[in-house]
Amino acid sequence: MNLLVRGGTVIDETGERRADVAVSSGSIAAVGDSLDAPDGATVLEAGGCLVAPGLVDLHVHLRQPGAEEAETVESGSRAAARGGFTAVVAMPNTDPPVDCAPVAAEILSLAAGALCLVAPAGAITVGRAGERLAPMGELAALGVRLFTDDGAGVQDAGVMRRALEYARGLRARGLGVILAQHCELASLADGGVMHEGGWSSRLGVPGIPAEAEELMVARDLSLTRLTGGAMHFLHLSTQRSVALVAAAKSEGLAVSAEVTPHHLSLTDAELAGFDPNYKVNPPLRGAPDVAALRAACATGVVDAVASDHAPHPPEAKETTLQAAAPGMIGLETALAVALMALGPTDGTADDGAPGRAQSPEVAVAAPALSPREVVGLMSWRAARIAGLSVDQGGDQGGPLVPGAPANLCVFDPTERWVLDPARLSSRSRNTPWAGRTLTGRVRHTVYGGELVVLDGEAQR
Ligand code: DOR
């Protein structure tokens, strides 16, 4: 398929320039002014749009195998493509979990027909039970790069120490694996439903203290130091968590961190209506936490924004706050919500009509990252953590130069739209953004040279 992306502004790790992008046979054929369309090319009008490397989501739940009523590799990859993603890392808390080569191989075979690259993550421990190490070497031999028991943290420090040593050994053999921790101490978090603070007291709902996360961040930073290992911290949610990571980075520890669009935008005050769509792990925190996470994105302490797309069927959400499953879908809203939380505008229109992607008490001036910096958190920087970037032998994250793989996200950073859950490609509907006005919309996605999304619509 030949394509010409015409009239946009190209943004990638190397900078920003007005240019057309020509795509031919899966690769970028040319980048420049007033390019002629390749033979038989489809022309994509990109006036007013940014043309970026495809986005890379480090953290999605695709529910296959085991919960196909909520999502499948195919439906999740379609949602990803409509969100501008050309690669996602699929968490291993499936049923059965991805703790052995056959399950990873099954996901890889399903991924062959997907609308974006689907990289399965492997479990750190067998059954994600936190006791015996999973055969990470076998999984790494299949191409698995990121290992996590996500959905739960590895509770036992001795097990985590051995996992860090095992992963370090695999890296010494040239397998670029990384451990990723869901930081949550079960002894403090179990039974909790939302952030422990003023709102949980007022609502009479059991809380999860910030310390449930921070104690595990602190412990795992110590274990990283002890082992000379490397660690990625998933979905950090508190002010002190990012402060701990900042200190570890200045010390030179090999650590990286991600935050989610929802933790950058929403607070625990949203739980006042007892709506289970706001129930998520880690829980939505307070306004000072949101401000600290935003600042940590601006200072480089946070390396990536990841959706933690967590689809659930209606019966798991249409129940009480206490009984509901935690998690929210996010692939199709991640870019807009991240741009609104971190970018130069919070989505308020020229006529003063507000964008409503943020809880009222955090609707203050954002750190004003440029759209290119926001995309960096969601593309080339994320790709590097996942081991998927071009300089690591992968095909994600750009830069957009002739000869490079044609993975592109074309988006209009100013388009305002109202999220209608019925129009999502995900099989699930558990989004907190239903009916909210978002700013920033994906127009076209090109994956491996194929136009998978045109004018916001999936092409297959
Ligand atoms: O809210 C969450 N949902 N947090 C997790 O860590 C797991 C996820 C899920 O799998 O639903």
Side-chain angles (χ1 to χ4, degrees):
M1 179 182 258
N2 290 342
L3 301 167
L4 179 67
V5 185
R6 189 159 65 191
T9 298
V10 170
I11 54 171
D12 65 11
E13 197 168 5
T14 66
E16 176 165 341
R17 58 230 176 254
R18 248 283 308 124
D20 299 342
V21 178
V23 169
S24 177
S25 313
S27 300
I28 294 175
V31 181
D33 266 342
S34 312
L35 294 181
D36 291 328
D39 279 351
T42 302
V43 176
L44 304 176
E45 294 303 340
C49 288
L50 298 174
V51 181
L55 306 180
V56 175
D57 197 333
L58 283 172
H59 194 145
V60 305
H61 298 270
L62 299 186
R63 305 298 190 218
Q64 194 173 14
E68 288 81 354
E69 71 281 13
E71 201 74 284
T72 63
V73 168
E74 188 194 357
S75 66
S77 77
R78 186 170 295 114
R82 287 183 74 200
F85 294 93
T86 54
V88 298
V89 179
M91 292 293 111
N93 62 337
T94 47
D95 185 13
V98 190
D99 62 358
C100 59
V103 184
E106 182 189 344
I107 296 170
L108 285 167
S109 84
L110 292 165
L115 283 78
C116 68
L117 186 152
V118 175
I124 295 174
T125 66
V126 175
R128 298 177 44 255
E131 287 162 13
R132 286 184 300 127
L133 293 184
M136 288 195 277
E138 262 174 59
L139 287 154
L142 281 179
V144 175
R145 288 291 170 264
L146 189 137
F147 290 86
T148 176
D149 278 0
D150 182 59
V154 177
Q155 302 297 314
D156 186 290
V159 171
M160 201 59 192
R161 174 191 183 163
R162 287 200 300 283
L164 280 157
E165 288 167 348
Y166 185 3
R168 196 191 55 193
L170 293 173
R171 275 198 301 283
R173 285 165 38 199
L175 295 164
V177 302
I178 180 83
L179 297 189
Q181 181 71 294
H182 167 119
C183 289
E184 184 180 288
L185 211 56
S187 58
L188 288 180
D190 279 1
V193 168
M194 64 179 288
H195 173 59
E196 182 172 314
W199 275 106
S200 65
S201 305
R202 241 165 285 156
L203 300 172
V205 170
I208 301 173
E211 286 75 6
E213 175 173 306
E214 293 155 359
L215 282 167
M216 195 174 277
V217 173
R219 182 200 77 181
D220 284 1
L221 289 171
S222 294
L223 294 174
T224 302
R225 185 186 301 110
L226 173 67
T227 56
M231 177 95 77
H232 176 65
F233 291 92
L234 300 168
H235 48 45
L236 291 183
S237 69
T238 86
Q239 191 171 4
R240 283 184 299 265
S241 289
V242 287
L244 287 163
V245 170
K249 284 191 166 187
S250 1
E251 193 192 318
L253 297 184
V255 293
S256 56
E258 73 183 34
V259 295
T260 70
H262 46 275
H263 289 109
L264 287 171
S265 308
L266 302 175
T267 69
D268 56 347
E270 302 283 354
L271 277 299
F274 296 94
D275 179 350
N277 282 323
Y278 295 97
K279 180 177 177 184
V280 64
N281 272 345
L284 301 175
R285 305 283 186 185
D289 296 302
V290 174
L293 299 186
R294 289 177 173 191
C297 288
T299 55
V301 169
V302 164
D303 301 274
V305 171
S307 73
D308 195 3
H309 177 81
H312 288 291
E315 59 274 21
K317 280 295 193 183
E318 288 167 12
T319 176
T320 62
L321 203 51
Q322 306 240 10
M328 41 181 75
I329 56 171
L331 277 166
E332 294 166 81
T333 49
L335 179 60
V337 176
L339 286 167
M340 292 174 76
L342 299 171
T345 163
D346 65 1
T348 303
D350 290 344
D351 64 3
R356 294 193 299 115
Q358 342 194 23
S359 299
E361 68 278 27
V362 294
V364 290
L369 272 64
S370 66
R372 192 176 79 84
E373 290 169 312
V374 176
V375 168
L377 290 158
M378 300 179 75
S379 180
W380 47 94
R381 295 177 68 190
R384 223 157 257 140
I385 293 166
L388 295 173
S389 66
V390 171
D391 49 24
Q392 293 164 312
D395 59 4
Q396 299 292 321
L400 303 185
V401 291
N407 294 313
L408 304 174
C409 163
V410 181
F411 67 99
D412 180 343
T414 59
E415 184 177 337
R416 286 160 64 82
W417 54 295
V418 177
L419 182 78
D420 174 2
R423 297 206 58 249
L424 294 171
S425 285
S426 171
R427 280 200 179 174
S428 292
R429 296 286 173 265
N430 53 302
T431 169
W433 313 110
R436 294 197 192 228
T437 302
L438 305 178
T439 301
R441 190 165 202 179
V442 173
R443 284 268 189 85
H444 318 299
T445 306
V446 177
Y447 168 54
E450 179 190 349
L451 181 62
V452 285
V453 173
L454 169 65
D455 288 325
E457 299 301 333
Q459 297 301 290
R460 59 181 172 92

